[in-house]
Amino acid sequence: TKGFGAPPPTLDDLLSSFPNRLPPQHDPDIISCPCRSGLTYKECCRPLHSLERECTSKVDVLRSRYSAFSYRLIEYVMRSTHPTCRDYREDKVAWAKDLNKGGMFDSFEFVDLTIIDDDDENNEGGEDEDGEEKGYVTFKVTLRAREDKPMYATVAGQETVITEKSKFIKEKGVWKYASGEVQSDRLENVKLN
């Protein structure tokens, strides 16, 4: 090998070094899925997180990403992001480091996910400019502050409600997250991703 020092870490090495908030191994059989589907984690989002199955609907992506953020599953958040998303990065190692550092909502507990509108009901979807199938889901997430965070104007135990209209794109039969218009009771209207 050329150069000095150890080779840079691989993405797999890096991801395995990051903390997560997964329940103990025996719990997925009995613990409710964080996405509030009414199913156990083993029946609902775990097969998506472990690649046993793909997201065949926009709601699959929404629920599984909510659970991935709740459980701090950085690899899944990256894998379920469409390349047109503002957050998407070709340099997966740098992207994973950025998510680990500040993109996993570590200051909050995930309390609730409520789906408000799925465009399947009102035919709002269609094709994007590249001819790929697109669709939208509007939902509400409730987060509870784990600690006082003056920079977020939150106090431990205080709840924040975020409403988002997310855009999803179907690529090769698999839906992925592409962008979102976010509103919060603690943030001014802002467009993310």
Side-chain angles (χ1 to χ4, degrees), residues 69 72 74 77 97-106 110:
F69 277 106
R72 205 176 196 287
I74 292 173
V77 170
K97 286 180 181 179
D98 285 349
L99 281 170
N100 183 57
K101 183 177 177 185
M104 296 307 293
F105 299 95
D106 290 329
F110 287 70

Side-chain angles (χ1 to χ4, degrees), residues 140-183:
K140 184 169 49 174
V141 171
T142 304
L143 304 172
R144 183 177 302 125
R146 295 180 190 273
E147 56 192 285
D148 294 351
K149 286 283 188 177
M151 66 197 263
Y152 297 122
T154 60
V155 178
Q158 185 176 35
E159 291 187 352
T160 298
V161 177
I162 298 170
T163 302
E164 179 172 337
K165 180 179 181 179
S166 291
K167 177 182 177 182
F168 299 92
I169 295 177
K170 188 175 185 180
E171 182 177 67
K172 298 178 185 170
V174 178
W175 286 95
K176 294 191 176 196
Y177 175 80
S179 66
E181 296 174 17
V182 177
Q183 295 179 333

Side-chain angles (χ1 to χ4, degrees), residues 15 29 35 45 58 68 76 93 107 114 159 167 170 173 180 184:
L15 291 168
D29 292 338
C35 77
C45 290
K58 301 176 299 292
Y76 186 79
V93 170
S107 299
T114 304
E159 291 187 352
K167 177 182 177 182
K170 188 175 185 180
S184 170

Side-chain angles (χ1 to χ4, degrees), residues 81-90 132 171 176-178:
T81 302
H82 193 270
T84 60
C85 180
R86 183 180 86 173
D87 296 337
Y88 185 90
R89 305 222 346 234
E90 288 294 330
E132 294 177 318
E171 182 177 67
K176 294 191 176 196
Y177 175 80

Side-chain angles (χ1 to χ4, degrees), residues 15-87:
L15 291 168
S16 68
S17 72
F18 293 154
N20 66 54
R21 295 185 284 263
L22 279 167
Q25 287 299 325
H26 65 280
D27 280 354
D29 292 338
I30 58 171
I31 194 164
S32 295
C33 195
C35 77
R36 315 271 298 176
S37 65
L39 300 172
T40 65
Y41 177 56
K42 181 180 179 179
E43 296 169 315
C44 190
C45 290
R46 186 177 184 192
L48 296 165
H49 294 161
S50 64
L51 295 178
E52 294 170 36
R53 72 178 190 90
E54 297 282 357
C55 292
T56 57
S57 73
K58 301 176 299 292
V59 172
D60 279 351
V61 184
L62 173 63
R63 288 188 179 283
S64 62
R65 282 177 63 91
Y66 176 88
S67 294
F69 277 106
S70 178
Y71 285 158
R72 205 176 196 287
L73 303 176
I74 292 173
E75 181 179 16
Y76 186 79
V77 170
M78 293 169 56
R79 193 173 5 145
S80 61
T81 302
H82 193 270
T84 60
C85 180
R86 183 180 86 173
D87 296 337

